[in-house]
Amino acid sequence: METRRNFLQKLAASAIVLPMAPVTESWAADAISHEPYDGPVLRVAMMGLGSYANRVADAMKSCVKAKIVGVVSGTPEKITDWQDRFGIPGKNCYTYENFDSLKSNPDIDAVYITTPNSLHRPYAVRVAAAGKHVISEKPMAVNAADGQLMIDACKKAGVKLLVGYRLHFEARTLEVVRMRQAGEFGKIRFFQGLSGFRIGDPTQWRLNKQLAGGGSMMDIGVYSINGARYMLGEDPIWVTAQETKTDPVKFKAGIDETIQFQLGFPSGAVASCLSTYNMNNLDRFFLTGEKGFAEMVPSTGYGPLKGKTHKGELTSPHITHQTQQMEQFAGILLEGKSAPIPVDGEEGLKDLKIIDAIYEAVKTGEKVMLKL
């Protein structure tokens, strides 16, 4: 197991490559300034104890600023397992029926929601009403209307809403953003995002419209949408999209198999992207401008990510994405720190508005204008 000292040394090393860029100043300073660390610790309850919750929790073993202290689950066996693995007291264990009583528990600061997509909004609203910060896995909700309800609920309750955009803290990604901000690529002309894999078990919740809200676009396609925005440093103003479905048995009505979509930006740059549940080996971002380029392959996996630019290979050290994310979330929620690329509810809402527009473009065959 990685020691605390080794983790801090790696964290510091990854920050060294980014200090000159305004977008990275706050996260870099935060990453290298705590040895030994004796500041506030973010106490997190995980909601929905599936595979990704386990990945986050295991990554948090290396955190010094965040800790798993509670769980919310509908499966008693999972609760018992997590209690044994993470030393969680019984008073911090909840079901979906009784977690509103979090309000009277001062030992939990935030709840990280990793349930199926359609449950993000109703559970986030209840968590906010209980006075706890909300961390939602992406996509933040199944549509923009639900996303706005989450934002409104958190504002009303005076708590913060964050979205699990782990790549917004990833060092190689941030180096490309720094280079773009510094003008090293020149005027950006084009972005390509390819996001996809062949999905397995046809009975899983990701292929259930009521739980997932859609198909590949609501899962893997979000990466290309969000990546286009932070790589180009702009929000799109129009979208066009086309759907291809080769297996209507596995990918039933409302579950998109493959969608190609195009985004137009105020600067004149364009993006061409693909989201699919039926093709492997698709995890690539490519950015080109008048002076240079950047390519990341893989661009969004759990890592290590790999990439190169016209100046050479991207070599920043790899840190487990979820460890880095939760360390930075602690700084945001407890110390008022800023993220290098936004991770708040408004950021999540922009992606949801684009997803809504993509589905509309698929349905109508028309270009859909965006106002984000």
Side-chain angles (χ1 to χ4, degrees), residues 173-293:
T173 298
L174 290 180
E175 173 62 6
V176 175
V177 173
R178 182 202 67 76
M179 291 178 68
R180 187 258 300 157
Q181 287 186 327
E184 295 181 33
F185 302 119
K187 183 177 176 61
I188 304 299
R189 295 296 192 182
F190 177 74
F191 171 84
Q192 182 186 54
L194 303 178
S195 301
F197 62 93
R198 288 183 63 87
I199 197 166
D201 180 9
T203 67
Q204 64 182 280
W205 69 263
R206 289 178 178 83
L207 297 177
N208 181 321
K209 167 69 173 176
Q210 289 189 323
L211 292 176
S216 68
M217 186 59 59
M218 298 301 298
D219 180 10
I220 195 71
V222 179
Y223 287 109
S224 282
I225 292 171
N226 193 249
R229 293 178 50 238
Y230 63 68
M231 286 291 192
L232 272 69
E234 297 184 272
D235 288 328
I237 55 176
W238 58 259
V239 60
T240 54
Q242 308 81 37
E243 180 178 7
T244 301
K245 184 170 291 191
T246 64
D247 188 349
V249 175
K250 186 173 186 178
F251 304 103
K252 298 177 175 61
I255 298 294
D256 48 284
E257 175 189 323
T258 300
I259 292 181
Q260 299 177 71
F261 60 96
Q262 302 78 40
L263 303 171
F265 294 82
S267 67
V270 293
S272 177
C273 303
L274 182 144
S275 168
T276 184
Y277 265 164
N278 206 24
M279 288 179 262
N280 284 329
N281 307 308
L282 291 176
D283 186 4
R284 177 180 187 263
F285 284 175
F286 178 76
L287 177 77
T288 188
E290 293 179 339
K291 296 180 180 179
F293 75 93

Side-chain angles (χ1 to χ4, degrees), residues 14-333:
S14 72
I16 290 172
V17 301
L18 299 168
M20 65 195 76
V23 74
T24 64
E25 282 178 354
S26 61
W27 87 273
D30 189 53
I32 64 176
S33 61
H34 299 303
E35 188 178 4
Y37 179 73
D38 60 358
V41 174
L42 181 68
R43 299 165 300 174
V44 179
M46 296 298 301
M47 176 183 286
L49 306 183
S51 60
Y52 192 71
N54 276 274
R55 182 179 291 274
V56 172
D58 287 339
M60 287 178 65
K61 292 176 182 177
S62 296
C63 288
V64 296
K65 298 178 63 177
K67 180 181 180 181
I68 296 290
V69 300
V71 292
V72 181
S73 175
T75 307
E77 293 80 7
K78 289 184 178 180
I79 292 177
T80 300
D81 174 60
W82 278 58
Q83 284 187 274
D84 292 341
R85 288 163 54 204
F86 298 101
I88 298 171
K91 68 182 181 66
N92 289 354
C93 298
Y94 299 87
T95 68
Y96 293 115
E97 288 72 35
N98 70 10
F99 75 81
D100 304 278
S101 59
L102 278 162
K103 189 169 187 175
S104 61
N105 189 337
D107 297 330
I108 295 174
D109 302 309
V111 177
Y112 195 149
I113 302 171
T114 61
T115 62
N117 303 335
S118 66
L119 300 175
H120 292 181
R121 188 267 301 165
Y123 289 162
V125 170
R126 288 172 61 186
V127 170
K132 306 302 180 181
H133 298 301
V134 177
I135 303 171
S136 173
E137 193 43 43
K138 61 85 192 160
M140 188 173 78
V142 295
N143 54 53
D146 273 10
Q148 187 63 61
L149 289 173
M150 293 169 66
I151 292 171
D152 294 343
C154 290
K155 286 183 178 178
K156 180 180 179 181
V159 299
K160 294 180 180 178
L161 170 60
L162 302 181
V163 185
Y165 288 122
R166 56 188 167 82
L167 298 175
H168 291 201
F169 306 101
E170 197 279 320
R172 298 183 191 196
T173 298
L174 290 180
E175 173 62 6
V176 175
V177 173
R178 182 202 67 76
M179 291 178 68
R180 187 258 300 157
Q181 287 186 327
E184 295 181 33
F185 302 119
K187 183 177 176 61
I188 304 299
R189 295 296 192 182
F190 177 74
F191 171 84
Q192 182 186 54
L194 303 178
S195 301
F197 62 93
R198 288 183 63 87
I199 197 166
D201 180 9
T203 67
Q204 64 182 280
W205 69 263
R206 289 178 178 83
L207 297 177
N208 181 321
K209 167 69 173 176
Q210 289 189 323
L211 292 176
S216 68
M217 186 59 59
M218 298 301 298
D219 180 10
I220 195 71
V222 179
Y223 287 109
S224 282
I225 292 171
N226 193 249
R229 293 178 50 238
Y230 63 68
M231 286 291 192
L232 272 69
E234 297 184 272
D235 288 328
I237 55 176
W238 58 259
V239 60
T240 54
Q242 308 81 37
E243 180 178 7
T244 301
K245 184 170 291 191
T246 64
D247 188 349
V249 175
K250 186 173 186 178
F251 304 103
K252 298 177 175 61
I255 298 294
D256 48 284
E257 175 189 323
T258 300
I259 292 181
Q260 299 177 71
F261 60 96
Q262 302 78 40
L263 303 171
F265 294 82
S267 67
V270 293
S272 177
C273 303
L274 182 144
S275 168
T276 184
Y277 265 164
N278 206 24
M279 288 179 262
N280 284 329
N281 307 308
L282 291 176
D283 186 4
R284 177 180 187 263
F285 284 175
F286 178 76
L287 177 77
T288 188
E290 293 179 339
K291 296 180 180 179
F293 75 93
E295 180 181 42
M296 299 188 69
V297 185
S299 57
T300 65
Y302 293 140
L305 303 187
K306 296 182 181 180
K308 62 183 178 181
T309 74
H310 59 287
K311 293 189 173 182
E313 184 180 358
L314 297 168
T315 59
S316 305
H318 170 68
I319 298 174
T320 300
H321 298 170
Q322 294 80 7
T323 303
Q324 179 77 290
Q325 172 189 288
M326 295 310 297
E327 289 290 88
Q328 302 308 317
F329 278 5
I332 293 168
L333 294 177

